[in-house]
Amino acid sequence: MISVFDLFKIGIGPSSSHTVGPMVAANLFLASLLEQAELTDVKGIEIELYGSLAATGKGHATDTAILLGLIGHAPSTIDTRLTSQYLAPIFSDKQLIVSGSHTIDFDTERDIHWYGDTVLPYHPNALTIRARLADDTHYQKTYYSVGGGFVISEENANNPDEDHAAPTIDVIPYPFNSAAELLEQCREHDLSISELVLANELHYRDQEEVFAYLDAIWESMQDCVTRGCQNSGILPGGLDVKRRAQALHLQLCAERNQPIAKSDKLAAMDWIDLYALAVNEENANGGNVVTAPTNGAAGIIPAVMHYYRDFLSSYSQDGARKFLLNATAIGSLIKQNASISGAEVGCQGEVGSACAMAASALAEILGGDPAKCLNAAEIGIEHNLGLTCDPVGGLVQVPCIERNAMGAVKAVNAARLACRGNGQHFVSFDKVVETMKQTGADMLDSYKETSRGGLAIYADNRIPTATQGVSVKYSQC
Ligand code: SF4
């Protein structure tokens, strides 16, 4: 089981795989480099981006994320209001201050290489960082950013036994590799999904630490919604996408006590839309968001949790913890058995996964037993199957922001639908996850975070160029 500490992380927008992961990779490279050499021996640094990281890296701020990581900033602690200030020496003086104290010449045109047509063997999101040392030798490492901010080094990719991202399952009290096993464990031990996940978490940390982390994640999500409702203007990147959350928030607040709003039985839906827009606009602006399980899909779980907080009388802090614990089980199963990476399986792996996680968690809040939760999660994925990843201009804005609002509303519907049943359903959660994985494998690369198909070219005002390109497979369709 992947821990709640790994699945939910406070990070930086706009993308967990293309921004958070590359920054983590730069942090790892720096630590590894400093084990091999003195900082003062570093004379130059080159960065190579491959596959999807190169194809959509400019829109996802992959290059600047790596540079910030090399300066010494980490996704969870960086003050995103000061990003331009941190990067100024690079863009104005062509100087990179490695680890915050050692200055080298660095020219983004000369030292960053974009290889969008080259995909390294393990995953479409790959990067290599190379340092030139005083004795004219080089030290280099390759990393894969596999979604949700998770990073695997080339050595670990070639030797999966050394992948320490997930704890070994045989030491936790209630191991599970599939939804069927999870359900069996819940039934045998008379546990809800959140209780089972908590018991597993307590194998590694004490309750105080786990609860403090869960509370911090929930608080960060609420701060993000608050900021998203306050900020307005145009999102960066050149598409001229206007932020909508602030105006919608003012509108909903003004209407709240009007008779028309009181008689509108679907008024909650407008608020769910608002919460999701607020988070994803913050994400698109490069602000702090919680990966849940990715940044592109970061609005769905907070939106449904805000719905729980603001519209259900049963809300409590403990309920918010249960929500995140339950969602962890679902995200863990999807990540282990399929993928949460848009570059690997399309948006079904991002928005579909977040929708399934939120649906299962809400089902538990609504009183659903584990079977109903898994039914809700299955519905959440089933009706996102085949969803492509085609961000216009490589930016996590269109269709991503609105798609989170759709995903959040769908999650509420999935939870309610499942709770009206008895937990039995035609397609099992395990089968739908397997189907998602296979659908992703069959999906053309042009629909997997390359910005070479779908809305990315047809809804883009700019005429597709040779480099923006249409893949051969795509044009044959
Ligand atoms: S389309 Fe979906 S998977 Fe692709 S960047 Fe947007 S939110 Fe992420």
Side-chain angles (χ1 to χ4, degrees):
M1 193 198 82
I2 294 169
S3 166
V4 69
F5 285 73
D6 293 318
L7 206 58
F8 293 102
K9 293 185 286 288
I10 299 170
I12 175 175
S15 167
S16 46
S17 55
H18 288 57
T19 319
V20 176
M23 194 188 284
V24 170
N27 295 156
L28 293 172
F29 176 78
L30 205 50
S32 169
L33 172 66
L34 295 182
E35 282 175 12
Q36 310 294 323
E38 294 295 324
L39 187 56
T40 48
D41 284 342
V42 177
K43 298 300 172 199
I45 285 188
E46 274 184 281
I47 298 162
E48 292 172 353
L49 299 169
Y50 294 96
S52 177
L53 285 190
T56 63
K58 287 218 163 81
H60 288 67
T62 305
D63 46 353
T64 51
I66 295 169
L67 295 173
L68 288 165
L70 290 172
I71 293 169
H73 296 289
S76 57
T77 52
I78 187 170
D79 185 339
T80 52
R81 293 166 303 179
L82 301 178
T83 302
S84 315
Q85 194 176 309
Y86 299 144
L87 294 170
I90 299 172
F91 294 112
S92 56
D93 305 325
K94 296 190 188 313
Q95 301 222 301
L96 172 63
I97 307 172
V98 184
S99 197
S101 60
H102 175 58
T103 303
I104 59 168
D105 290 341
F106 189 89
D107 183 338
T108 52
E109 295 294 322
R110 181 194 64 201
D111 296 321
I112 303 182
H113 308 283
W114 306 80
Y115 301 122
D117 290 329
T118 307
V119 176
L120 298 195
Y122 183 71
H123 193 279
N125 297 335
L127 69 130
T128 297
I129 309 179
R130 184 180 309 112
R132 183 166 49 82
L133 303 175
D135 60 1
D136 249 0
T137 59
H138 291 89
Y139 180 75
Q140 76 171 49
K141 302 263 297 176
T142 293
Y143 298 95
Y144 295 96
S145 177
V146 297
F150 289 83
V151 172
I152 295 177
S153 68
E154 189 171 47
E155 300 84 67
N156 284 353
N158 293 332
N159 192 356
D161 290 345
E162 290 182 18
D163 175 7
H164 301 298
T168 19
I169 59 162
D170 59 352
V171 294
I172 57 175
Y174 304 113
F176 60 91
N177 273 325
S178 65
E181 289 176 11
L182 171 63
L183 190 57
E184 184 58 33
Q185 291 275 29
C186 287
R187 282 182 174 150
E188 189 181 337
H189 302 285
D190 193 23
L191 294 169
S192 66
I193 291 178
S194 66
E195 286 168 342
L196 182 144
V197 173
L198 178 61
N200 284 346
E201 294 287 348
L202 294 181
H203 188 75
Y204 296 100
R205 297 173 172 90
D206 63 30
Q207 184 164 297
E208 200 180 334
E209 190 182 351
V210 175
F211 282 2
Y213 189 78
L214 292 168
D215 294 347
I217 289 293
W218 176 216
E219 197 179 320
S220 180
M221 288 175 171
Q222 293 176 90
D223 288 346
C224 187
V225 167
T226 303
R227 285 195 314 275
C229 290
Q230 289 167 346
N231 292 331
S232 60
I234 303 292
L235 291 171
L239 289 181
D240 290 337
V241 173
K242 192 166 182 260
R243 297 181 72 145
R244 287 182 284 176
Q246 188 206 51
L248 179 58
H249 184 232
L250 291 173
Q251 202 180 7
L252 293 180
C253 287
E255 284 174 6
R256 192 156 33 192
N257 295 318
Q258 303 292 325
I260 187 163
K262 286 184 174 167
S263 65
D264 181 355
K265 299 285 187 291
L266 291 178
M269 197 189 289
D270 294 337
W271 285 90
I272 296 168
D273 288 341
L274 167 69
Y275 304 137
L277 294 184
V279 172
N280 288 86
E281 286 176 1
E282 277 298 293
N283 180 58
N285 205 47
N288 284 113
V289 293
V290 175
T291 58
T294 64
N295 279 28
I300 294 173
I301 289 174
V304 178
M305 289 185 77
H306 278 72
Y307 163 73
Y308 166 41
R309 185 194 72 181
D310 296 345
F311 289 89
L312 301 183
S313 57
S314 62
Y315 172 76
S316 67
Q317 180 83 4
D318 193 47
R321 293 171 186 150
K322 284 183 179 157
F323 195 110
L324 291 170
L325 289 165
N326 181 303
T328 298
I330 303 303
S332 174
L333 282 171
I334 300 170
K335 173 149 176 45
Q336 308 239 76
N337 296 325
S339 172
I340 57 170
S341 162
E344 208 172 2
V345 295
C347 197
Q348 54 176 355
E350 295 208 16
V351 161
S353 299
C355 179
M357 292 163 72
S360 171
L362 183 62
E364 182 171 326
I365 295 296
L366 295 175
D369 62 16
K372 291 182 184 179
C373 292
L374 289 168
N375 186 184
E378 183 273 324
I379 295 170
I381 289 202
E382 184 176 305
H383 303 289
N384 280 300
L385 280 178
L387 196 63
T388 59
C389 171
D390 51 359
V392 177
L395 298 161
V396 194
Q397 298 177 12
V398 183
C400 319
I401 296 172
E402 228 169 56
R403 188 166 284 175
N404 275 257
M406 298 297 110
V409 170
K410 195 182 280 188
V412 174
N413 197 15
R416 294 178 66 91
L417 189 57
C419 286
R420 292 282 177 187
N422 61 6
Q424 290 185 349
H425 43 291
F426 188 81
V427 179
S428 71
F429 179 76
D430 290 326
K431 277 284 170 214
V432 87
V433 169
E434 197 183 319
T435 304
M436 192 244 272
K437 185 178 182 185
Q438 189 55 49
T439 305
D442 292 341
M443 199 180 273
L444 297 180
D445 287 346
S446 40
Y447 296 109
K448 292 192 277 193
E449 212 158 357
T450 54
S451 282
R452 289 174 175 169
L455 291 172
I457 55 173
Y458 290 112
D460 195 343
N461 293 330
R462 293 161 299 183
I463 297 168
T465 62
T467 48
Q468 193 177 12
V470 178
S471 77
V472 174
K473 278 185 192 168
Y474 186 86
S475 57
Q476 282 171 346
C477 289

